[in-house]
Amino acid sequence: MLEALMKIFGKTDKSSQQIAHDRLKVVLIHDRANVSPEVMEHLKNDIIKVISNYMEIDQNEMEISLANDADSVALVANIPVHNMKHGSDKKH
Amino acid sequence: MSEVIVITSGKGGVGKTTTTANLGVGLAMRGKKVVLIDTDTGLRNLDLLLGLERRIVYTLVDVIQKRATYEQALVRHKKYTNLFLLPTSQVADKTAINPEQMAELIAQMRNDFDYILIDCPAGIEQGFQTAIIGADWAIVVTMPEISAVRDADKIIGRLQAEHKEIKLIVNRIRPQMVKEGTMLDMTSIDDILSIECIGQVPDDEKVVDSANRGVPVVEWDSSQAGQAYRNIVGRMCGEKISFMEFPTEGFFTRLKHVFGH
Ligand SMILES: Nc1ncnc2c1ncn2[C@@H]1O[C@H](COP(=O)(O)OP(=O)(O)OP(=O)(O)O)[C@@H](O)[C@H]1O
Ligand SMILES: [Mg+2]
């Protein structure tokens, strides 16, 4: 009954229209850039390796993704830093 | 000088042939001289939608293979005598015509019509290349469904790589679902694909009825889809026509649906 009422008044939390819109936005960025999830995973691991030479980062909280801005694609990374490493700690 | 437009989609069955027939008849109703070229070799349907299936003598494949001139292959519409169909073969396959041959034919036909509309087959193989090569610009037809929109994007990429200008038609919209938030609408598809929309066509039973009769809905005053196609034709002719509002069910009708009547 509640469901029936919700239907009548057209109330739901997130509409499937919105879900489809969000999913398409993401999938098309990858389709257009021709980048597979595996490639993104390799890229992420390489970025971790390089950055870890200079700073301690939170690997679990780190996010990298492709975003599109008008008609170009950007690589967006959000990498929480715990600590800077001192020059002497730098490994080669 | 003709305007050459290809009607394409990516995903199959979204309404390319229906669109081609309706825009062709719509333009002819305005007195334009129009030819519709069916490039869906092996799976031709445009003849049926126009009610011309019994008048085909030569086909596009005969023209390409020089067994007939294109003038000989043209089928004139019964009611709109300024509308022609260049049908394709139902027995040959897509490899019977290559893109270069098609480009040559379009160049030859270019001065004889106001509009040349090309009905493209589904997919991205040779049939697609053949259909788009001679076109000045493209209409991409899609449906408000996640997979159709994704496939449209792929085709748009291909067309942009060939420097074709593109306009979008969203076909088979169900206004009630859009209102309830269970179907993508034109604005969100516009936003996802970043392509200008030239029309939105509702899902309309009359489209099926009209296909049965071989009379495109654009001729029917009572059809919502017919009105949508007339609006698109107007926009193609440079008129500024705002997008139509579709009527949706009222509160009590919905109440009845919910309680199963
Ligand atoms: N607006 C509409 N309302 C209702 N039915 C529609 C609408 N548009 C198309 N259809 C139906 O959808 C089906 C597919 O249409 P159509 O043959 O035009 O698609 P297509 O893109 O040309 O397909 P294909 O990829 O096989 O060439 C047909 O049965 C047609 O009647
Ligand atoms: Mg078709």
Side-chain angles (χ1 to χ4, degrees):
Chain A
M1 183 63 202
L2 183 63
E3 209 180 295
L5 277 176
M6 301 254 286
K7 244 180 162 170
I8 295 164
F9 294 105
K11 283 208 179 71
T12 41
D13 24 354
K14 193 169 189 184
S15 69
S16 74
Q17 178 186 72
Q18 191 58 48
I19 296 169
H21 180 271
D22 296 348
R23 290 177 64 209
L24 277 165
K25 278 265 173 181
V26 174
V27 78
L28 291 188
I29 290 167
H30 286 88
D31 284 0
R32 287 173 192 169
N34 205 7
V35 177
S36 67
E38 299 89 81
V39 171
M40 288 300 284
E41 199 53 39
H42 288 305
L43 175 62
K44 183 175 170 180
N45 292 335
D46 285 351
I47 290 175
I48 292 173
K49 246 190 276 168
V50 173
I51 296 183
S52 301
N53 288 334
Y54 302 88
M55 45 192 92
E56 261 174 45
I57 58 175
D58 185 342
Q59 295 191 12
N60 297 323
E61 289 297 302
M62 135 171 204
E63 279 174 358
I64 69 160
S65 59
L66 290 169
N68 68 340
D69 155 26
D71 47 5
S72 63
V73 177
L75 178 68
V76 179
N78 186 353
I79 310 170
V81 178
H82 282 325
N83 253 317
M84 295 301 291
K85 289 187 178 174
H86 294 293
S88 55
D89 296 343
K90 215 170 106 183
K91 286 170 281 188
H92 282 285
Chain B
M1 194 64 181
S2 315
E3 198 167 325
V4 186
I5 309 164
V6 62
I7 290 91
T8 180
S9 70
K11 191 174 165 70
V14 300
K16 294 177 292 295
T17 305
T18 304
T19 303
T20 309
N22 279 287
L23 299 185
V25 169
L27 287 164
M29 284 163 73
R30 286 175 170 250
K32 307 286 184 194
K33 190 176 178 196
V34 185
V35 62
L36 309 182
I37 306 180
D38 190 346
T39 64
D40 202 349
T41 303
L43 292 166
R44 74 177 184 208
N45 278 324
L46 196 48
D47 53 332
L48 278 178
L49 296 195
L50 295 165
L52 297 176
E53 70 278 7
R54 288 169 53 185
R55 312 211 299 167
I56 295 172
V57 182
Y58 293 109
T59 69
L60 182 60
V61 174
D62 295 317
V63 175
I64 294 291
Q65 296 175 355
K66 313 262 189 248
R67 286 191 295 268
T69 64
Y70 86 77
E71 288 93 343
Q72 287 176 303
L74 290 182
V75 182
R76 187 189 283 265
H77 194 270
K78 285 168 280 187
K79 186 162 162 197
Y80 302 102
T81 53
N82 47 335
L83 174 65
F84 299 86
L85 170 69
L86 178 49
T88 192
S89 163
Q90 182 66 353
V91 288
D93 64 60
K94 307 280 188 292
T95 58
I97 305 165
N98 69 40
E100 293 69 37
Q101 292 167 321
M102 190 67 185
E104 199 181 305
L105 176 64
I106 300 284
Q108 203 188 327
M109 296 175 73
R110 242 182 201 285
N111 294 315
D112 301 346
F113 303 90
D114 297 318
Y115 287 91
I116 299 178
L117 304 189
I118 302 166
D119 181 21
C120 181
I124 45 176
E125 289 77 30
Q126 183 178 328
F128 170 74
Q129 289 302 333
T130 299
I132 69 162
I133 191 160
D136 302 325
W137 62 280
I139 290 177
V140 171
V141 182
T142 190
M143 277 173 51
E145 283 180 10
I146 193 158
S147 50
V149 174
R150 183 194 200 165
D151 293 355
D153 190 70
K154 178 134 193 176
I155 283 301
I156 288 165
R158 295 290 181 99
L159 289 164
Q160 283 171 339
E162 309 271 341
H163 309 289
K164 306 274 186 209
E165 195 200 318
I166 305 163
K167 297 213 172 110
L168 194 69
I169 291 180
V170 182
N171 188 27
R172 307 197 70 166
I173 295 173
R174 293 167 67 177
Q176 190 58 34
M177 288 187 72
V178 170
K179 194 172 168 193
E180 286 164 1
T182 51
M183 181 178 265
L184 288 163
D185 64 353
M186 185 184 71
T187 323
S188 53
I189 294 174
D190 232 5
D191 174 54
I192 293 159
L193 297 176
S194 322
I195 294 291
E196 187 198 336
C197 242
I198 195 177
Q200 51 172 345
V201 182
D203 195 84
D204 185 346
E205 290 176 356
K206 296 207 168 82
V207 171
V208 180
D209 187 6
S210 85
N212 290 341
R213 298 170 199 273
V215 180
V217 278
V218 70
E219 288 190 44
W220 298 6
D221 287 337
S222 61
S223 158
Q224 287 271 313
Q227 182 61 50
Y229 287 120
R230 287 193 293 277
N231 289 354
I232 297 170
V233 168
R235 291 182 197 112
M236 288 169 76
C237 295
E239 292 165 19
K240 264 198 106 52
I241 300 170
S242 53
F243 288 101
M244 60 200 281
E245 297 266 340
F246 304 122
T248 49
E249 294 173 3
F251 178 83
F252 288 104
T253 331
R254 238 182 310 155
L255 202 66
K256 275 202 302 198
H257 278 303
V258 171
F259 292 103
H261 286 282

